Amino acid sequence: MIGVLKKLFGSKHEKDVKALQPMVAEINTYFEQYQQLSDDELRAKTTEFRERIHDAVKEVEAEIESLKPQLANLEGEEREALATKLEELEKGRYDLTTETLEEILPEAFAAVKDACRRLVGQKFEIMGNTLVWDMVPFDVQLIGGIVLHQGKISEMATGEGKTLVATLPMYLNALAGRGVHLVTVNDYLALRDSQWMGKIFEFHGLKVGCILQNQEPQQRRVQYAADITYGTNNEFGFDY
């Protein structure tokens, strides 16, 4: 009976993918449009996206900044009430940021995809090896990026492009200016991917960092201050 129902109505996986197809189509529409832009015009999209996020949250951020100094002068119930209000405002800022990122997603993903297209054929020295860029996200990889941004798990086999897929939501979330971390399993992959995938982010003017074993505290602070930071679960966990 379950098998018959799946044939009639499709599995949950199929339904989830189908629901994302309109967004994939929208990304590809922007991708086609962006191909008409110069490199500088495409890079300018990053500034435009950041300004849209800033405009969405500037009022609540201004209120937060005006109230925070008052905490030091309050005690008891008054302090607790203000702390509660600040928590609510912080949640409001988070919600507004999330909503704006959802609106920007198709354009931001298209900007990443077109940066990849423009990098095709270029040679880069990565970990002592010369690599030729040959990656432009396929539709299934766009879907993987959307799923990751939604806070879900995107399961992919070796060779299906997990490293590239991750750049899509990383770029999008870095626009909010709160820092994005990618966790991998060893220092080699962290450094390789920060250099390799970093070409996409650097094209768009973002700074990329990498946390490695034996880095001094000052070095780590510099890496964490980047828009996007690669590292391992051990190093991130230890620093946290």
Side-chain angles (χ1 to χ4, degrees), residues 30-185:
Y30 280 112
F31 172 63
E32 294 293 332
Q33 294 174 6
Y34 290 171
Q35 292 181 48
Q36 310 305 314
L37 301 178
S38 68
D39 285 357
D40 287 342
E41 287 172 332
L42 181 61
R43 291 187 180 102
K45 287 292 178 182
T46 297
T47 301
E48 176 191 323
F49 299 151
R50 282 176 157 168
E51 287 175 350
R52 284 161 63 179
I53 296 167
H54 171 72
D55 289 344
V57 302
K58 62 183 180 182
E59 289 186 10
V60 68
E61 282 192 338
E63 188 171 2
I64 290 171
E65 293 307 311
S66 69
L67 292 176
K68 271 185 177 179
Q70 299 178 29
L71 275 176
N73 302 318
L74 297 175
E75 295 180 355
E77 293 182 357
E78 287 185 324
R79 181 182 176 84
E80 185 176 341
L82 182 56
T84 299
K85 182 171 183 178
L86 283 168
E87 286 180 9
E88 293 172 352
L89 289 170
E90 290 281 3
K91 183 181 182 303
R93 175 169 62 180
Y94 175 83
D95 290 343
L96 286 170
T97 301
T98 300
E99 290 171 11
T100 310
L101 290 177
E102 290 288 339
E103 294 171 4
I104 291 173
L105 187 152
E107 298 164 79
F109 276 35
V112 171
K113 182 172 180 177
D114 198 38
C116 290
R117 180 189 67 83
R118 294 171 192 237
L119 292 173
V120 168
Q122 294 189 35
K123 296 180 180 180
F124 301 105
E125 288 294 320
I126 307 296
M127 302 288 286
N129 298 309
T130 300
L131 298 179
V132 180
W133 190 275
D134 62 354
M135 297 175 289
V136 180
F138 295 109
D139 286 358
V140 67
Q141 293 171 320
L142 297 177
I143 290 171
I146 297 168
V147 168
L148 288 176
H149 173 69
Q150 293 174 343
K152 301 174 184 176
I153 294 172
S154 180
E155 184 177 0
M156 302 177 70
T158 299
E160 289 185 340
K162 294 185 289 292
T163 305
L164 180 63
V165 166
T167 64
L168 296 155
M170 290 169 72
Y171 170 75
L172 173 65
N173 284 272
L175 297 170
R178 313 279 310 253
V180 173
H181 302 145
L182 184 134
V183 185
T184 189
V185 295

